[in-house]
Amino acid sequence: MNPIEQRLADLGITLPAPAAPIAAYVPAVEANGLLHISGQLPFRADGSLITGKLGIDHDVEQGRQAAERCGVMLIAQIRAALGGDLSRVARVVKLGAFVACSPEFTDQPKVANGASELMVAAFGDIGRHARSAVGVPALPLGAPVEVDAIVAVRPA
């Protein structure tokens, strides 16, 4: 087991099968040493989707947990795109977090921390990244959070 998979196991995280796209796109594209991962939704360990909005149906902590679940799916997509070899990850470059929320909700960065903190816990220092966190009125399938990523990768 490589160190990243061991860290995930130590955190009690089992990577799910990567989610299939719900529209006309691919889950990941590798170009010029960068792996671009499409936005991932917060699926629970049992495969069900978390739904609702921050500031209406969920508080900040529930949103943080949803963002962490997006992060778990991001890592599952990274592993699949890299042929199962997470050791090819050279750096998590950037995360983009989208938070479905009420107009008054302003804690998007705290929600996005769920995914950000997971990347550091899983990848160590190479998991530290740039990030955006924005509020939006709605997300696909009624999800409260969606997170995408750009990851620098080593050649196969």
Side-chain angles (χ1 to χ4, degrees), residues 18-81:
I22 61 169
Y25 62 90
V26 294
V29 172
E30 186 176 347
N32 299 318
L34 294 176
L35 183 63
H36 298 260
I37 305 294
S38 296
Q40 300 299 304
L41 301 178
F43 289 95
R44 295 178 183 94
D46 69 4
S48 64
L49 178 66
I50 300 168
T51 60
K53 290 187 178 186
L54 277 291
I56 297 171
D57 306 302
H58 300 291
D59 63 20
V60 171
E61 177 56 23
Q62 291 167 318
R64 192 202 65 71
Q65 291 170 7
E68 181 178 273
R69 293 306 305 174
C70 293
V72 168
M73 191 57 73
L74 282 170
I75 297 170
Q77 294 287 5
I78 293 166
R79 181 177 67 179

Side-chain angles (χ1 to χ4, degrees), residues 69-128:
R69 293 306 305 174
C70 293
V72 168
M73 191 57 73
L74 282 170
I75 297 170
Q77 294 287 5
I78 293 166
R79 181 177 67 179
L82 299 179
D85 187 5
L86 287 172
S87 68
R88 285 189 56 205
V89 173
R91 179 76 191 243
V92 177
V93 177
K94 184 173 183 192
L95 297 184
F98 304 90
V99 180
C101 57
S102 67
E104 304 79 24
F105 188 84
T106 59
D107 284 328
Q108 292 86 357
K110 291 178 184 176
V111 169
N113 280 347
S116 291
E117 291 166 359
L118 176 62
M119 294 302 148
V120 174
F123 294 100
D125 282 341
I126 67 168
R128 297 188 187 284

